[in-house]
Amino acid sequence: MLESLFAPTLGELERALGYESTRQRVIAHNIANVNTPGYKAKSIFRLALSQAQSRQNDTHLPNVPSPNVTAPEDERGIPYEIVTSEEPSIRPDGNNVNLESQMVELADAELRYRALTQMASRYFQGLRRVIGGSGR
């Protein structure tokens, strides 16, 4: 009974937080390799949350083939795909990391992560109110 009270919302929040956390790590890796000759930028494939939701709802989306997949799931079993960018490099060393776009992506991922943690906090505040606590 308690599982049905907590599972749907917390499960979704946990998966979304895991996705954003992984996204931040991928972007940080790109930024760390901005001066590595021949390095190709990587990104996290956005279908991951849809796949996680469809797995939970037992409806399956068709698999999208991706030849550059390096990690199908993280250590928590959250599905994601890290794809290597096929964009050509304009630099002579073959590196295709665009530092400005990576910084924008990092700021976006941080904002999303912060919003998700606020949602989780509000969820628990609501539960405390329901149980009879002060909610603070």
Side-chain angles (χ1 to χ4, degrees):
M1 179 171 167
L2 284 177
E3 193 172 292
S4 64
L5 179 65
F6 296 108
T9 303
L10 285 180
E12 297 291 327
L13 284 171
E14 181 183 2
R15 276 187 287 283
L17 284 167
Y19 172 81
E20 292 301 332
S21 173
T22 302
R23 184 173 167 221
Q24 288 177 355
R25 281 194 307 255
V26 169
I27 295 167
H29 190 73
N30 287 339
I31 292 170
N33 286 290
V34 71
N35 290 324
T36 304
Y39 180 81
K40 301 294 182 195
K42 295 178 177 42
S43 61
I44 190 164
F45 196 53
R46 291 190 176 265
L47 188 60
L49 284 179
S50 298
Q51 288 174 338
Q53 290 169 347
S54 68
R55 182 187 290 176
Q56 184 178 13
N57 296 332
D58 290 332
T59 56
H60 299 287
L61 293 174
N63 288 334
V64 176
S66 177
N68 299 323
V69 173
T70 57
E73 290 185 346
D74 70 5
E75 65 278 359
R76 294 162 293 201
I78 299 169
Y80 65 91
E81 295 176 330
I82 297 176
V83 221
T84 303
S85 172
E86 299 293 333
E87 290 184 28
S89 174
I90 58 170
R91 295 171 36 180
D93 65 359
N95 185 314
N96 70 352
V97 175
N98 181 331
L99 186 58
E100 291 174 0
S101 68
Q102 293 298 310
M103 295 304 287
V104 169
E105 287 288 320
L106 186 61
D108 180 66
E110 184 178 326
L111 286 174
R112 289 175 187 266
Y113 191 88
R114 199 176 298 165
L116 287 166
T117 56
Q118 288 176 356
M119 289 173 65
S121 176
R122 288 183 185 146
Y123 177 78
F124 285 114
Q125 286 174 353
L127 283 178
R128 275 191 221 129
R129 280 192 206 112
V130 168
I131 293 171
S134 67
R136 294 181 183 220

